[in-house]
């Protein structure tokens, strides 16, 4: 309730960069002079502000995305302000919500308008007014394939068959569509035929247009008026044509997750190998066989058979018989049994290795520094750096330090004060595993084989090893230097978990494959 009250308290706050005329949601600037004056005021306001504010006022979004004259008006609607406040409360911040959105969509969204009630209302209204040709074309295709008019469907099949036999005819179809769909009807509106003697029985229409002067006038196509029958019918078609996409999406997901998303690893592996083989075959081998295939296989005959088969199967009577035969429970179980047997037979050739947990070894080094005043070793903390003599900071220290001069050092000094660039933690219990990993039970252990990690890091000539306590000491060529360190290696195993965002201000140790 507090969030909602704050919304309604702030939704009517005036924007200083918006004039009262622009706040009027019913006012649309149609006059060119007023529009130029409004843009001049906006530019003058932007000049008075800083460069940072100018970037906010001058939108990088193109005017192509706005159907209204005033492109700035869409962002200042009162309904948009209310909706923006409500969405900020209603929308839940999901942990992996951003990861599900494609980076391409995120980048493209920056160059397009944000969600706006006014823009949505304008675009959807004009789409419903002008969507009649699209839905008419879709309905014509559906009626043709379902044999609503058998003569028309037969004519389309004969035309398609002729085009398959002579493919160059496909290039004439766009021009033919323009003639039949637009030019012939427009011409007949100007020169309508005389239907006085048409009896409707033997002669349904007069095939000859008017030979004299045009009887009509040119009329530009107009969108459907709002709240007319055509307007509401377009909205109804928009509502109903969403269903095939939803059902197709659900069917593809239900079928695809079984084969492509590793629901069954062996089956998905088989599909992966099949797809790789198809790519390699089509790229390297198929080009050599295409000339022979074209000479042997009658492709045109196969295309004609496929075309007629698809249209015949779409006939209502045949379609009902096919559905009654294929959509029964017995048929479904038979198909499922056949596919299961085929999958098991093919998967029997894939070796099934038992999946084992993958562990990595996380290491840290315990660093001590020798205090020449106290004659003792002082612990500095735990870090992923060995801080040996070949470390860049140690090389710099040895280069600038005089042998007879001791640097200021006491028991409270830590390594991050000596070398700020090295991440350090005071206790080994504060060391965190790598991002996306989790420590196994058992705790940290001291590496009892220091010779191995010394040899692996190639620092044999820079250190000496205490085999009893497993400490690795610096070997300084310049005696009397105060910068003497020792270190020993701690390790712990971790295993992979679900990926998460890296925690802020956390020290993650390095990982090595065990």
């Amino acid at each position: 309730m507090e969030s909602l009250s704050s919304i309604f308290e702030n939704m009517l706050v005036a924007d200083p960069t918006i004039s009262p005329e622009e706040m009027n949601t019913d006012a649309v600037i149609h006059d060119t002079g007023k529009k130029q004056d409004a843009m001049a005021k906006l530019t003058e306001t932007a000049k008075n502000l800083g460069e940072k504010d100018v970037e906010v006022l001058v939108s990088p979004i193109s005017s192509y995305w706005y159907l209204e004259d005033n492109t700035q008006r869409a962002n200042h609607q009162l309904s948009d302000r209310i909706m923006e406040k409500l969405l900020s409360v209603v929308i839940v911040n999901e942990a992996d919500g951003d990861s599900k959105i494609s980076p391409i969509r995120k980048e493209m969204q920056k160059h397009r308008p944000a969600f706006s009630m006014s823009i949505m209302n304008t675009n959807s209204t004009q789409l419903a007014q002008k969507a009649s040709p699209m839905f008419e074309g879709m309905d014509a295709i559906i009626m043709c394939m379902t044999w609503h008019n058998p003569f028309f469907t037969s004519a389309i099949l004969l035309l398609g068959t002729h085009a398959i036999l002579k493919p160059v005819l496909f290039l004439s179809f766009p021009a033919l569509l323009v003639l039949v769909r637009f030019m012939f009807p427009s011409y007949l509106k100007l020169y309508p035929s005389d239907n006085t003697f048409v009896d409707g029985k033997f002669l349904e229409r007069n095939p000859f247009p008017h030979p004299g002067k045009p009887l009509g006038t040119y009329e530009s196509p107009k969108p459907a008026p709002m709240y007319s029958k055509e307007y509401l019918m377009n909205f109804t078609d928009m509502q109903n044509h969403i269903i095939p996409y939803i059902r197709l999406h659900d069917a593809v997901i239900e079928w695809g997750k079984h084969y492509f998303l590793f629901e069954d690893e062996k089956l998905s592996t088989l599909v992966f190998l099949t797809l790789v083989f198809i790519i390699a075959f089509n790229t390297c081998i198929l080009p050599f066989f295409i000339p022979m295939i074209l000479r042997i296989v009658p492709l045109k005959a196969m295309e004609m058979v496929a075309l007629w088969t698809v249209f015949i199967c779409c006939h209502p009577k045949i379609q009902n018989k096919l559905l009654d035969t294929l959509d029964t429970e017995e048929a479904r179980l038979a198909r499922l049994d056949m596919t299961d047997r085929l999958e098991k037979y093919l998967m029997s050739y894939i070796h099934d290795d038992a999946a084992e947990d993958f562990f990595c070894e996380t290491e840290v080094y315990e660093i001590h520094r020798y205090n020449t005043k106290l004659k003792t070793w002082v612990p500095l903390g735990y870090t992923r750096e060995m801080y040996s003599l070949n470390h860049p900071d140690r090389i710099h220290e040895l280069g600038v330090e005089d042998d007879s001069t001791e640097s200021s050092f006491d028991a409270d000094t830590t390594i991050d004060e000596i070398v700020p660039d090295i991440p350090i933690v005071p206790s080994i219990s504060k060391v965190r595993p790598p991002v996306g990993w989790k420590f196994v039970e058992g705790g940290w252990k001291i590496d009892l084989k220091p010779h191995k990690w010394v040899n692996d890091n190639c620092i044999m000539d820079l250190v000496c090893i205490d085999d009893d306590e497993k400490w690795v000491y610096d070997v300084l060529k310049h005696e009397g230097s105060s910068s003497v360190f020792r270190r020993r290696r701690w390790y712990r195993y971790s295993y992979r978990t679900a990926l998460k965002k890296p925690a802020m201000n956390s020290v993650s140790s390095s990982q090595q494959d065990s």
Side-chain angles (χ1 to χ4, degrees):
M1 293 303 294
E2 293 180 357
S3 301
L4 290 176
S5 62
S6 62
I7 290 173
F8 288 104
E9 287 177 2
N10 298 326
M11 65 174 57
L12 296 178
V13 175
D15 191 340
T17 62
I18 305 171
S19 62
E21 295 179 358
E22 294 175 341
M23 288 295 293
N24 184 7
T25 57
D26 297 328
V28 180
I29 302 178
H30 295 285
D31 184 70
T32 306
K34 292 183 179 180
K35 183 176 181 180
Q36 293 178 353
D37 294 340
M39 294 302 296
K41 291 180 180 179
L42 183 63
T43 306
E44 184 179 357
T45 306
K47 290 181 179 179
N48 295 331
L49 298 175
E51 295 181 355
K52 184 177 181 180
D53 296 328
V54 172
E55 295 178 357
V56 176
L57 289 175
V58 181
S59 175
I61 300 174
S62 173
S63 59
Y64 167 81
W65 299 104
Y66 298 93
L67 296 177
E68 294 182 343
D69 294 334
N70 188 4
T71 59
Q72 299 293 332
R73 172 176 174 263
N75 298 325
H76 304 326
Q77 293 287 347
L78 180 61
S79 59
D80 291 343
R81 292 170 175 269
I82 297 175
M83 182 58 64
E84 182 181 357
K85 297 292 184 179
L86 291 177
L87 288 177
S88 63
V89 176
V90 173
I91 293 179
V92 180
N93 293 326
E94 300 178 357
D96 57 346
D98 293 339
S99 61
K100 295 181 180 179
I101 303 176
S102 171
I104 299 177
R105 293 190 64 187
K106 291 181 181 179
E107 183 63 26
M108 295 303 297
Q109 189 63 37
K110 297 178 182 178
H111 306 284
R112 298 171 183 171
F115 177 76
S116 170
M117 291 293 293
S118 61
I119 297 178
M120 176 65 73
N121 180 47
T122 302
N123 296 350
S124 59
T125 300
Q126 296 204 22
L127 175 62
Q129 290 178 316
K130 303 173 183 179
S132 297
M134 177 178 62
F135 292 126
E136 287 176 3
M138 296 174 65
D139 292 339
I141 295 174
I142 295 173
M143 292 178 67
C144 177
M145 297 194 66
T146 55
W147 296 79
H148 183 79
N149 185 348
F151 300 102
F152 179 75
T153 304
S154 301
I156 293 297
L157 284 173
L158 292 175
L159 186 62
T161 303
H162 193 187
I164 291 175
L165 295 175
K166 194 174 184 181
V168 72
L169 292 178
F170 283 107
L171 300 177
S172 302
F173 284 168
L176 179 63
L177 178 63
V178 172
L179 290 176
V180 174
R181 184 64 180 84
F182 300 104
M183 299 202 71
F184 288 164
S186 299
Y187 183 83
L188 291 177
K189 286 183 179 180
L190 298 178
Y191 300 92
S193 58
D194 185 9
N195 295 325
T196 304
F197 302 100
V198 174
D199 54 10
K201 183 178 181 180
F202 300 101
L203 187 63
E204 295 183 355
R205 64 177 63 183
N206 185 1
F208 301 102
H210 176 64
K213 295 181 179 181
L215 302 179
T217 57
Y218 160 76
E219 293 183 1
S220 176
K222 297 180 181 179
M226 289 187 63
Y227 307 114
S228 62
K229 289 185 178 180
E230 183 181 0
Y231 177 81
L232 296 178
M233 187 176 293
N234 289 341
F235 259 119
T236 305
D237 286 338
M238 290 171 60
Q239 162 196 300
N240 296 332
H241 281 287
I242 295 174
I243 300 300
Y245 169 78
I246 295 175
R247 295 191 180 278
L248 178 63
H249 176 273
D250 294 341
V252 170
I253 294 298
E254 185 65 25
W255 177 79
K257 71 179 183 181
H258 183 60
Y259 293 100
F260 305 128
L261 302 184
F262 289 89
E263 183 183 30
D264 187 340
E265 292 191 5
K266 293 183 64 176
L267 181 60
S268 297
T269 302
L270 177 64
V271 173
F272 172 80
L273 295 176
T274 304
L275 295 177
V276 171
F277 172 76
I278 290 174
I279 294 174
F281 180 81
N282 293 340
T283 305
C284 303
I285 301 177
L286 188 60
F288 298 99
F289 289 94
I290 287 180
M292 293 185 291
I293 293 175
L294 293 177
R295 288 195 299 265
I296 298 174
V297 178
L299 294 180
K300 292 184 178 180
M302 295 176 61
E303 292 174 359
M304 288 188 294
V305 171
L307 176 65
W308 281 85
T309 302
V310 170
F311 272 80
I312 291 174
C313 291
C314 291
H315 192 279
K317 293 183 178 180
I318 299 178
Q319 183 179 7
N320 293 334
K321 291 182 179 180
L322 290 176
L323 292 178
D324 293 339
T325 304
L326 300 176
D327 202 26
T328 59
E329 185 66 17
E330 293 79 6
R332 189 187 69 84
L333 293 176
R335 291 194 303 271
L336 184 61
D337 180 69
M338 182 180 63
T339 54
D340 287 344
R341 291 191 181 194
L342 180 61
E343 292 172 3
K344 290 179 181 179
Y345 174 76
L346 295 176
M347 287 189 296
S348 62
Y349 292 96
I350 299 178
H351 183 63
D352 188 9
D353 293 330
E356 299 180 356
D357 292 333
F358 178 76
F359 296 94
C360 80
E361 192 176 74
T362 304
E363 65 177 9
V364 292
Y365 295 92
E366 180 185 0
I367 307 295
H368 289 187
R369 183 176 182 177
Y370 186 72
N371 191 327
T372 56
K373 296 180 180 179
L374 301 178
K375 304 297 181 180
T376 184
W377 292 96
V378 179
L380 300 180
Y382 297 84
T383 178
R384 61 173 177 263
E385 300 285 348
M386 292 177 295
Y387 203 58
S388 57
L389 289 173
N390 61 349
H391 193 277
D393 296 312
R394 294 292 305 278
I395 296 175
H396 177 72
E397 178 187 359
L398 292 175
V400 300
E401 185 183 63
D402 187 80
D403 292 343
S404 61
T405 304
E406 290 188 358
S407 60
S408 60
F409 172 70
D410 53 27
D412 296 332
T413 306
T414 59
I415 195 172
D416 58 342
E417 295 174 349
I418 301 172
V419 186
D421 296 335
I422 295 181
I424 189 74
V425 291
S427 174
I428 196 172
S429 61
K430 295 184 178 181
V431 177
R432 298 291 178 263
V435 178
W437 295 74
K438 187 176 181 180
F439 284 135
V440 299
E441 300 295 334
W444 293 90
K445 298 179 182 179
I446 298 177
D447 192 344
L448 301 180
K449 298 179 180 180
H451 289 277
K452 184 178 183 305
W453 65 265
V454 167
N455 292 332
D456 291 341
N457 290 277
C458 300
I459 58 173
M460 299 81 68
D461 299 335
L462 305 177
V463 297
C464 61
I465 302 173
D466 184 355
D467 293 325
D468 295 331
E469 297 184 358
K470 312 305 178 185
W471 285 103
V472 177
Y473 296 84
D474 288 337
V475 176
L476 296 180
K477 298 180 180 179
H478 303 280
E479 297 182 359
S481 174
S482 60
S483 300
V484 180
F485 293 86
R486 69 176 184 178
R487 77 281 300 152
R488 59 181 174 182
R489 182 176 179 269
W490 293 74
Y491 68 93
R492 187 176 182 179
Y493 291 104
S494 56
Y495 61 92
R496 190 75 179 273
T497 60
L499 294 177
K500 297 181 180 179
K501 294 182 179 180
M504 299 299 295
N505 299 327
S506 63
V507 179
S508 298
S509 57
S510 63
Q511 58 179 353
Q512 296 179 348
D513 292 342
S514 59

